[in-house]
């Protein structure tokens, strides 16, 4: 991965990206999601509307973080694949540019 690509992706994940040397915690979000799902399946959770609402909001944030990480990783893998093909002499320059642009757009969104 080039420094520029690293900067793009690390900026998207913020300073907490374990993938790029920080602590963006995909595994932690997966554990949190499992815990929140467990809480939402507890009998009586719906008797306390505020607790249920708060738990659902936390769950939504964990799902969004995991979805974002998955999208960024897929785009990064696509760009890296095109880069590898280009290094081997394949004519994939336009595809590589599109992949990097897509990655940049997602990190700036």
């Amino acid at each position: 991965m080039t420094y520029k690509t690293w900067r793009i992706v690390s900026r998207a994940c913020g300073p907490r990206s374990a993938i790029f040397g920080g602590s963006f915690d995909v595994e932690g979000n997966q554990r949190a999601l499992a815990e929140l799902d467990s809480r939402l399946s507890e009998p009586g959770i719906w008797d306390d509307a505020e607790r249920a609402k708060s738990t659902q909001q936390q769950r939504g944030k964990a799902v969004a973080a995991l979805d974002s990480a998955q999208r960024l990783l897929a785009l990064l893998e696509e760009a890296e694949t095109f880069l590898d093909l280009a290094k081997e002499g394949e004519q994939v320059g336009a595809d590589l540019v599109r992949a990097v642009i897509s990655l940049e757009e997602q990190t700036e969104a």
Side-chain angles (χ1 to χ4, degrees):
M1 172 186 328
T2 66
Y3 177 72
K4 183 177 180 181
T5 303
W6 175 84
R7 282 186 51 214
I8 292 167
V9 177
S10 64
R11 185 175 46 206
C13 295
R16 300 175 44 97
S17 174
I19 301 163
F20 304 103
S23 64
F24 184 81
D25 192 1
V26 171
E27 290 177 1
N29 279 321
Q30 290 170 331
R31 285 190 302 274
L33 182 59
E35 172 65 27
L36 293 165
D37 284 341
S38 177
R39 285 188 211 166
L40 288 169
S41 67
E42 291 175 359
I45 182 82
W46 304 105
D47 297 339
D48 183 346
E50 281 301 312
R51 180 174 169 230
K53 180 180 177 181
S54 174
T55 303
Q56 285 181 310
Q57 289 172 339
Q58 291 173 31
R59 184 185 187 284
K61 289 178 184 177
V63 168
L66 289 169
D67 288 347
S68 178
Q70 184 177 5
R71 278 191 309 276
L72 287 173
L73 285 174
L75 289 170
L76 180 59
E77 288 173 0
E78 179 182 35
E80 287 178 330
T81 298
F82 285 127
L83 180 60
D84 290 342
L85 290 170
K87 286 178 180 177
E88 294 172 3
E90 298 292 327
Q91 300 299 314
V92 294
D95 294 319
L96 176 57
V97 168
R98 279 192 293 276
V100 171
I101 289 171
S102 292
L103 184 58
E104 271 185 314
E105 289 173 350
Q106 286 296 310
T107 61
E108 292 173 357

